[in-house]
């Protein structure tokens, strides 16, 4: 007997709520979270190692069981059914509730850690942080801090939701590999290895806490005096870390970005991107695709980058002297070197890539360069404080506004409201640098087969970076955007195979709309040229 469909929706009935397996997974996972919440309210668990293990295992098990219920019996293919019907993924009540809870957690974590039980002045931890003391002592030999708690939960989130993501995109090898990559780098390089290094410290020798994949400017304290002193005092190992950090900025990163685009870092290595791609996957459709959002994005993220450059230059200059008989790298040499480097870089881009910059990008580049060089000039003209502010003030303001509020409170706390990549789009200075390299000096592009496009809009809907991918696909135009992180989801959700991630010659990489529309173009000549 057939069932009568009473609505007139072309997409059929709204999907049903959670199935039995998903409900069981939710209950198990929430049980683990409840234990953590109770610990945060100073409930004393007598056997902390066992209760911590129960909590973390319950969270992981809950996600695994939920994943089995969601994708276990489904065939390979696109699985974003009903995202706009669910409260949590469509800015409904549950989304706002989750956003407020996450934001509150980040505010307490960054600014009121004592409320989580952090011991002050050598006192023992209490509350939530004390629950993690056994794991901390096992890994690094000391009691937990709020950052150890955060790192543990961060890693658990990427591992468990990474498993969910791999099962969701089991039809796509690229998605599986890059997700496995961010799971590995977060677990090994950002969590386990740095903690074990701290355990090796002795009274005579100290290994600095170091996440090798976290480079400047994302790691904004990389060249603070205390950090440089810490690396130098670690002797050979510390100097290797310092040298590797510098080479990563000027050699490793540009080479990899030239060959593969910014995806090598943003979608395969970065912890921020790893959390966004795994735990934030359910919210990728919430990214703003409007032209206004794109304009705001470009100005905000590049302003953050300029702020980062200014702040780092000011901080480094504070511990450099003027006596060139003792040191070759004096404050004057450094500031002049920064000015010359930025000037030459700007001149090279202007000469070789001017035609690939839009008018507002040209004006912006000129404006930013003038600002930085003017501030250095003011310093020499007036002998006043560098950049008009104390370096420590700039560093503190940057750490508070960008490092804490933007990246943590807003960037992650508001996943359910603004989408999962709001930090990467608007505030990450590393994404800004890699984006400029990708746009101007990379082989990476997403090619489109416009003849196969049916304008379904899946690609644009699930682009977490807010790119209107469909607009490019409809014209058969290559997608070469500085904001694109190369996650490949646009290609994974395309039902017609229109989109393909490629690395190829820069020749013809950015193909203009006029050519693709066939205006005043000899099509035979174009075809012969592209053979």
């Amino acid at each position: 007997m057939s069932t009568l469909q009473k609505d007139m929706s072309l997409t059929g009935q709204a999907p049903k709520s959670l199935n039995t397996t998903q409900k069981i997974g939710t209950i198990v996972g929430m049980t683990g979270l409840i234990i953590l919440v109770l610990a945060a309210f100073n409930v004393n668990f007598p056997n902390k190692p066992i209760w911590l293990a129960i909590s973390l295992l319950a969270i992981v098990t809950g996600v695994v069981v939920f994943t089995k219920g969601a994708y276990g019996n489904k065939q390979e293919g696109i699985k974003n059914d009903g995202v706009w019907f669910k409260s949590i993924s469509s800015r409904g009540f549950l989304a706002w509730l989750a956003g407020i809870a996450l934001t509150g957690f980040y505010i307490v974590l960054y600014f009121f850690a004592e409320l989580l039980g952090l011991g002050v002045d050598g006192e023992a931890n209490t509350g939530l942080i004390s629950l993690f003391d056994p794991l901390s002592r096992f890994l690094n030999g000391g009691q937990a801090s709020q950052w150890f708690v955060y790192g543990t939960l961060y890693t658990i989130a990427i591992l468990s939701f990474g498993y969910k993501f791999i099962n969701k995109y089991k039809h796509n090898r690229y998605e599986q590999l890059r997700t496995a990559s961010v799971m590995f780098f977060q677990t090994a390089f950002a969590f386990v290895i740095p903690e074990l290094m701290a355990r090796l410290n002795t009274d005579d020798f100290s290994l600095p806490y170091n996440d090798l994949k976290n480079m400047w400017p994302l790691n904004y304290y990389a060249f603070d005096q205390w950090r440089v002193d810490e690396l130098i005092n670690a002797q050979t190992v510390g100097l290797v870390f310092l040298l590797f950090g510098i080479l990563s900025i000027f050699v490793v990163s540009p080479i990899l970005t030239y060959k593969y685009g910014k995806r090598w870092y943003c979608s395969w290595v970065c912890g921020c991107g790893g959390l966004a791609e795994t735990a934030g996957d359910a919210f990728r459709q919430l990214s703003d695709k409007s032209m206004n959002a794109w304009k705001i994005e470009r100005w905000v993220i590049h302003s953050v980058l300029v702020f980062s450059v200014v702040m780092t230059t000011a901080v480094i200059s504070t511990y450099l002297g003027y006596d060139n008989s003792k040191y070759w790298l004096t404050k004057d040499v450094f500031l002049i070197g920064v000015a010359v480097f930025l000037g030459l870089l700007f001149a090279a881009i202007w000469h070789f890539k001017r035609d690939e910059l839009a008018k507002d990008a040209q004006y912006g580049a000129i404006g930013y360069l003038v600002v930085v060089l003017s501030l250095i000039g003011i310093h020499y003209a007036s002998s006043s404080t560098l950049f008009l502010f104390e370096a420590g003030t700039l560093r503190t303001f940057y750490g508070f506004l960008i490092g804490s509020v933007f990246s943590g409170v807003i960037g992650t706390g508001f996943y359910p409201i603004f989408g999962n990549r709001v930090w990467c789009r608007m505030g990450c200075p590393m994404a800004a640098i890699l984006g400029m390299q990708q746009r101007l000096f990379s082989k990476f592009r997403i090619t489109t087969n416009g003849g196969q496009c049916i304008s379904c809009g899946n690609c644009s809907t699930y682009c977490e970076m807010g790119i209107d991918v469909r607009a490019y696909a409809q014209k058969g135009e290559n997608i070469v955007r500085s904001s694109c992180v190369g996650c490949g989801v646009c290609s994974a959700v395309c039902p017609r195979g229109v989109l393909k991630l490629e690395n190829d010659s820069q020749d013809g990489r950015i193909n203009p709309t006029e050519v693709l529309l066939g205006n005043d173009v000899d099509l035979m000549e174009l075809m012969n040229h592209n053979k």
Side-chain angles (χ1 to χ4, degrees), residues 15 225 230 263 285 305 311 323 328 336 370 377 395 400 412 417 419 474 494:
Q225 184 170 9
E230 184 181 51
R263 58 177 171 159
Q285 69 277 0
L305 175 59
M311 180 272 296
D323 189 353
W328 69 269
I336 293 173
V370 169
R395 167 64 174 77
F400 169 76
T412 306
I417 307 302
Q474 288 171 331
C494 178

Side-chain angles (χ1 to χ4, degrees), residues 193-194 196-198 200-201 204-212 227-246:
I193 293 177
L196 292 179
M197 287 172 59
L200 298 176
N201 290 339
D204 300 324
F205 180 72
S206 176
L207 283 172
Y209 187 96
N210 194 55
D211 178 358
L212 288 173
R227 178 61 174 169
V228 175
D229 288 343
E230 184 181 51
L231 293 174
I232 292 176
N233 291 335
Q235 301 174 11
T236 304
V237 176
L239 291 176
V240 169
F241 285 161
L242 180 60
L243 180 61
F244 179 77
I246 296 173

Side-chain angles (χ1 to χ4, degrees), residues 308-529:
S308 177
V309 171
V310 169
M311 180 272 296
T312 303
T313 302
V315 167
I316 294 177
S317 69
T318 58
Y319 55 82
L320 295 177
Y322 288 97
D323 189 353
N324 56 16
S325 65
K326 295 181 178 179
Y327 311 100
W328 69 269
L329 184 61
T330 62
K331 179 178 287 190
D332 287 337
V333 170
F334 174 71
L335 292 176
I336 293 173
V338 170
V340 171
F341 175 77
L342 292 176
L344 291 176
L345 180 63
F346 174 82
I349 294 175
W350 193 261
H351 178 72
F352 294 105
K353 299 291 182 176
R354 180 176 182 178
D355 294 338
E356 297 176 12
L357 295 175
K359 274 190 176 181
D360 58 343
Q362 295 178 10
Y363 296 151
I366 295 173
Y368 286 138
L369 181 68
V370 169
V371 168
V372 175
L373 297 184
S374 297
L375 289 172
I376 294 177
I378 290 173
H379 165 67
Y380 282 107
S382 63
S383 298
S384 61
T385 304
L386 183 61
F387 299 131
L388 308 181
F389 296 95
E390 291 287 344
T393 303
L394 283 175
R395 167 64 174 77
T396 301
F397 184 68
Y398 184 93
F400 169 76
L401 184 63
I402 308 301
S404 300
V405 174
F406 205 157
S407 67
V409 177
I410 297 176
T412 306
F414 275 76
Y415 273 7
I417 307 302
F418 297 136
N420 61 328
R421 284 276 192 173
V422 64
W423 159 248
C424 307
R425 287 184 67 185
M426 303 286 184
C428 179
M430 185 71 185
I433 285 183
L434 296 179
M436 288 190 291
Q437 295 177 32
Q438 175 170 275
R439 169 70 182 177
L440 301 174
F441 305 104
S442 176
K443 293 183 175 183
F444 173 71
R445 85 289 308 274
I446 300 178
T447 57
T448 62
N449 182 357
Q452 291 291 322
C453 179
I454 58 174
S455 299
C456 68
N458 275 357
C459 52
S460 293
T461 297
Y462 298 106
C463 177
E464 58 194 353
M465 299 304 292
I467 300 172
D468 188 3
V469 181
R470 178 173 59 179
Y472 290 87
Q474 288 171 331
K475 297 180 292 185
E477 183 177 358
N478 289 346
I479 302 171
V480 184
R481 288 277 291 271
S482 60
S483 59
C484 177
V485 294
C487 69
V489 170
C490 60
S491 176
V493 300
C494 178
R496 301 280 290 173
V498 173
L499 305 162
K500 185 178 180 182
L501 282 67
E502 294 185 0
N503 299 312
D504 203 347
S505 169
Q506 286 191 313
D507 186 28
R509 175 171 167 264
I510 301 179
N511 46 1
T513 304
E514 290 76 12
V515 171
L516 295 160
L517 294 179
N519 298 339
D520 303 320
V521 173
D522 186 336
L523 295 180
M524 291 303 298
E525 180 181 351
L526 181 64
M527 290 175 62
N528 292 330
H529 176 73

Side-chain angles (χ1 to χ4, degrees), residues 90-107:
S90 60
R91 299 193 184 100
F93 174 76
L94 291 180
W96 282 98
L97 189 64
I100 292 172
L102 285 170
T103 302
F105 170 73
Y106 271 94
I107 291 174

Side-chain angles (χ1 to χ4, degrees), residues 31-56 59 116-118 124-137 143-145 148-149 152-153:
T31 301
L33 287 176
I34 290 172
I35 294 174
L36 297 180
V37 172
L38 290 175
F41 282 96
N42 283 319
V43 173
N44 185 28
F45 292 96
N47 199 327
K48 288 183 172 58
I50 292 179
W51 281 104
L52 177 62
I54 292 174
S55 174
L56 298 182
I59 293 172
L116 297 176
L118 179 67
N125 291 328
T126 59
L128 176 64
I129 297 180
S130 69
L131 187 64
F132 285 79
D133 278 342
L135 180 61
S136 178
R137 291 192 178 96
Q143 69 177 20
S145 66
F148 180 83
V149 174
T152 303
L153 296 178

Side-chain angles (χ1 to χ4, degrees), residues 181 215 248 252-258 260-270 430 434 437 485:
S181 174
M215 67 182 76
S248 295
V252 177
S253 177
I255 290 176
L256 291 176
T257 306
Y258 170 73
Y260 305 111
K262 66 192 286 186
R263 58 177 171 159
W264 78 266
Y265 190 78
C266 297
S267 289
W268 287 72
V269 174
C270 179
M430 185 71 185
L434 296 179
Q437 295 177 32
V485 294

